[in-house]
Amino acid sequence: MSNETMRATWDADAAGWIETEADLDAVLAPVTTAVVQAADLASARRVLDVGCGTGALLEAAARRGAHEVVGVDIAEPMVAAAQARVPSATVLAADAQTADLGLLGAPFDRIVSRFGVMFFADPVAAFANLRSAAAPGARLAFACWREVEENPMFTLGTSVLTRRWDAELGDRPRSVPGAPGPVSMAEYARVRAVLVDAGWRDVAVRPLDYVHDHGYAGGDGVESRLAVILATATGRAARARLLPLLGEDGWAALLDEVRTELRRHRVDGVVRYPGACWLVTASNPA
């Protein structure tokens, strides 16, 4: 089973993520650091970054001296952005679930991902395919989100848009539990089962709790958080549905409501909130 629906979604939404690359790299820096350390990228030779996005992990691997760095992402715009960011890397537009990763050359001794592995239509098949490209003893390290309730990332400020969408139109799509999406691997037991069924061993699933700090560049971080909200699939869809209804002035007023909500939730004058994910490691049997 391929991920054509997910490909179309990410192609459509990629522009927002590319525009907010600096914000996301800053607030997700603790996760990037944790994956780099868990994968021991300083000793890596060939690194594969799955769902590489705009290339944060690719850049980290290259800086740490990996001999060869390869990124795979399902969205062409993300691939272009990552390639521009890390010219020394090889970055390909491909579905890591079904692509023949053996064509990428010698087996990889590290496979990593920062929030790029939750979107597979068949995760067991996807992780088995990744393992087929791994050298014996290769290390897998990735981060995936825990539950929505643990992550204000999904709701803080966004709830203002979704409440208005529900009140005005009532046609907002709802996520299906277990379907490909940001929290499809939120359950500890599911993460372990997927990897074990895909043939990985020494599976460790550890909680990683950190803080998103949108005040990284100074100021209160309200505009940074707002930019991220509008870059998400929910934010972009809310704009597409509500702007024609509310008009430019009405949409601008709604965004001011979002800003007011964010200011109410500042911590010590800055938009900060907890992040909760799993830091997962495993090895390919020798």
Side-chain angles (χ1 to χ4, degrees), residues 157 160-161 226 229 254-263:
V160 175
L161 301 181
L226 178 60
I229 291 170
L254 182 59
L255 295 187
D256 281 340
E257 291 181 34
V258 176
R259 293 183 177 96
T260 298
E261 177 76 1
L262 295 176
R263 291 188 186 104

Side-chain angles (χ1 to χ4, degrees), residues 10 26 31-32 45-46 72 82 86 94-95 106 114 133 141 160 163 168 181 207 210 217 223 257 269 276 285:
W10 280 107
V31 182
T32 303
R45 294 186 60 81
R46 298 196 78 232
V72 174
V86 192
D95 181 351
R114 187 191 74 180
V160 175
R163 282 197 301 268
E168 298 285 356
Y210 61 101
E223 294 304 317
E257 291 181 34

